[in-house]
Amino acid sequence: MKPIRPVFAGLDIGSTKVSITVGIPSFAAGASTQNEIEIVGVGTAPNTGIRQGVVVNIEATSESISRAREEAELMSGYKIHEVWVGVNGTHIKSFDSRGMVAIRNKEVTAQDVQRVIEAAKAVAVPTDRTVLHVLPREFKVDGQDGILDPVGMNGIRLEASVHIVTCSATAVANNLKCIEKAGLKVAGLVLDQLAASMSVISEDEKNLGVCVVDMGGGCSNMIYFVNGSVAHTSVIPVGGSHFTHDIAVGLRTPQIAAEDLKKKYGCAIATLVPEEEVMDVEGVGGRKPRTVLRREIAEVIEPRAEETMQLIQNDLRMSGLLPLMGSGIVLTGGACQLEGILEMGEFVFDVPVRRSSPGKVGGLVEVVKSPAYATGVGLILYGWNQKKHLLSHFHSEDAIGDSLQSWTTKIKGLLDHLF
Ligand SMILES: Nc1ncnc2c1ncn2[C@@H]1O[C@H](COP(=O)(O)OP(=O)(O)OP(=O)(O)O)[C@@H](O)[C@H]1O
Ligand SMILES: [Mg+2]
């Protein structure tokens, strides 16, 4: 294993795959890039133990986590002890809240901000639910609104408007059980779409207003940003697996073959597929493969794609935030790779839609360039943002010194052993 460095690992327990992404701060890696994190490894394992964010098989899930961990450790050369864990699923609920406090010394301090957030948090949350995040939306000082960082401002009254995200305590406890069983510690729990947004959108987009949709296997997780802060989050229980299931039923083919067909020939709009294109479809129960028009698969997918986009649009409408989405909609997650999904999105929403893959990191970017790694990479960036102030003493010279020291010790040990 390589010498001790601050290692950040993101564990994404998805309904189709478990992935562990590993990154180290660029200064510790001795890399001179604009990015603060270098990706050094990824481990993935298929998972059947999760359904729509909820563990349905502890053994299978912890087994997948262990396999992903082994692969990530092998690829990165770093031992993983602690992970930032993504949480998703239909059990996630969120709501807005407000708090108000008197400013103690007529100038807002970090403690005042902490107190007003605590005040906003003081709402009755049922005992079977856990607060995952309290995300500040904006602050008001003596009625003056639109303030993102009030520290240092003069005033008498400080108000905060926050967005609170809660999740089922049981669902999280079961996730934690699987992680513990795999021998890992939890550094923190992070809402999947919040993590994904860290790796796929820019600060400009957040300021202009944007909705990020992480289209996974079991569900599509959404997060809205207005004026640079989180305004709303929601979950739609439709994802890539529903498309696969429709294909399996519609074309009478096994699920595994349907999944392959979707990735190879799938298209969300039938008219985008050239009329004469054909494909081979495996039969079920030993029936012979058939050759069918590619349009048939698109005709099966189209209604589901339209329905998914309409569910997203309904959510946008209900939130009342649609007019504030200046940067439009950003699709990410494995299922957004379906051909024609952007066109379907633009047709339904009537606002710009783009597909985004994880960015803002250096190192092994090629291995995490798929939108399916948006959450994994985002978890590292989230962890880094939470911890970077604690690591300011850690310089690249230390890292190199550390590495040299460790090598000299190793060589010395070897020589002692030999002679
Ligand atoms: N090229 C592709 N075209 C269409 N769909 C794809 C493609 N590649 C992957 N998918 C789909 O993406 C989905 C998996 O996405 P992802 O890895 O983001 O999900 P997950 O994180 O495991 O699930 P969830 O977030 O719902 O728990 C699968 O349904 C898969 O079929
Ligand atoms: Mg996911």
Side-chain angles (χ1 to χ4, degrees):
M1 287 287 153
K2 289 183 188 166
I4 296 166
R5 302 253 171 92
V7 176
F8 289 84
L11 168 62
D12 175 14
I13 314 177
S15 57
T16 63
K17 53 122 191 31
V18 167
S19 77
I20 296 188
T21 30
V22 191
I24 56 172
S26 301
F27 64 74
S32 53
T33 71
Q34 284 178 335
N35 302 308
E36 293 181 332
I37 287 287
E38 295 279 294
I39 297 292
V40 290
V42 181
T44 338
N47 187 22
T48 51
I50 289 266
R51 202 161 298 149
Q52 294 193 328
V54 176
V55 179
V56 288
N57 187 334
I58 290 197
E59 206 54 54
T61 307
S62 73
E63 182 63 28
S64 299
I65 298 174
S66 300
R67 279 170 53 198
R69 176 195 187 172
E70 271 168 34
E71 202 182 302
E73 287 183 344
L74 203 68
M75 185 169 180
S76 65
Y78 290 98
K79 197 109 190 87
I80 301 161
H81 302 286
E82 212 181 49
V83 282
W84 291 85
V85 183
V87 182
N88 81 5
T90 43
H91 60 97
I92 307 269
K93 301 268 180 296
S94 64
F95 56 92
D96 290 328
S97 176
R98 285 172 177 280
M100 191 180 80
V101 292
I103 300 167
R104 279 203 177 130
N105 292 320
K106 297 213 172 104
E107 188 181 302
V108 182
T109 60
Q111 281 83 1
D112 292 321
V113 173
Q114 200 57 42
R115 279 194 306 123
V116 76
I117 290 176
E118 286 297 325
K121 215 169 120 180
V123 283
V125 175
T127 47
D128 60 346
R129 301 201 65 80
T130 305
V131 173
L132 201 56
H133 296 287
V134 180
L135 304 162
R137 289 186 62 181
E138 64 160 4
F139 295 94
K140 271 190 199 171
V141 177
D142 292 349
Q144 163 81 53
D145 60 5
I147 302 167
L148 290 184
D149 183 7
V151 174
M153 295 182 84
N154 283 6
I156 297 166
R157 197 177 71 227
L158 178 65
E159 288 168 74
S161 147
V162 299
H163 188 68
I164 300 181
V165 183
T166 69
C167 58
S168 151
T170 324
V172 165
N174 284 332
N175 268 7
L176 297 182
K177 210 169 191 177
C178 301
I179 299 164
E180 244 170 54
K181 226 167 170 260
L184 289 167
K185 278 205 296 189
V186 175
L189 298 171
V190 190
L191 182 69
D192 261 17
Q193 55 268 51
L194 178 65
S197 70
M198 307 237 13
S199 70
V200 298
I201 50 168
S202 66
E203 289 305 314
D204 281 345
E205 284 179 302
K206 281 190 200 172
N207 291 333
L208 262 176
V210 67
C211 170
V212 178
V213 187
D214 172 8
M215 300 181 73
C219 38
S220 300
N221 306 306
M222 303 166 62
I223 186 161
Y224 301 64
F225 287 87
V226 173
N227 292 333
S229 43
V230 178
H232 184 57
T233 55
S234 50
V235 182
I236 288 168
V238 184
S241 310
H242 296 82
F243 291 87
T244 306
H245 181 74
D246 290 349
I247 296 167
V249 174
L251 298 184
R252 297 188 309 282
T253 188
Q255 289 274 345
I256 296 179
E259 175 75 16
D260 286 346
L261 285 175
K262 178 180 78 174
K263 291 183 185 166
K264 230 164 148 185
Y265 301 107
C267 186
I269 297 182
T271 48
L272 289 181
V273 176
E275 261 176 59
E276 64 292 345
E277 254 184 68
V278 289
M279 60 183 190
D280 288 334
V281 177
E282 203 180 301
V284 261
R287 289 181 183 81
K288 279 194 194 144
R290 310 168 332 265
T291 303
V292 300
L293 282 174
R294 192 184 155 200
R295 273 220 171 167
E296 279 192 31
I297 190 172
E299 278 160 7
V300 172
I301 293 176
E302 193 175 296
R304 179 69 80 176
E306 193 172 350
E307 182 207 21
T308 312
M309 293 300 146
Q310 265 160 2
L311 287 170
I312 296 173
Q313 198 200 25
N314 283 351
D315 195 83
L316 269 161
R317 281 224 193 97
M318 298 282 284
S319 69
L321 298 170
L322 188 57
L324 303 176
M325 298 292 108
S327 298
I329 294 165
V330 174
L331 302 182
T332 191
C336 86
Q337 295 170 90
L338 183 71
E339 201 184 312
I341 198 90
L342 294 187
E343 289 80 354
M344 179 57 92
E346 287 195 334
F347 169 71
V348 173
F349 305 136
D350 214 13
V351 293
V353 184
R354 77 173 179 99
R355 186 184 278 131
S356 185
S357 296
K360 304 188 188 174
V361 286
L364 305 175
V365 279
E366 278 302 303
V367 293
V368 291
K369 69 171 187 218
S370 155
Y373 290 112
T375 304
V377 172
L379 285 167
I380 299 180
L381 292 171
Y382 184 93
W384 164 244
N385 269 336
Q386 298 291 309
K387 293 280 155 116
K388 65 178 167 191
H389 63 282
L390 300 173
L391 295 169
S392 51
H393 64 283
F394 200 103
H395 295 296
S396 53
E397 295 85 45
D398 293 346
I400 295 162
D402 201 15
S403 133
L404 287 178
Q405 207 179 1
S406 125
W407 275 105
T408 11
T409 326
K410 265 190 201 162
I411 293 167
K412 213 164 150 258
L414 195 70
L415 293 175
D416 286 349
H417 181 73
L418 286 173
F419 307 104

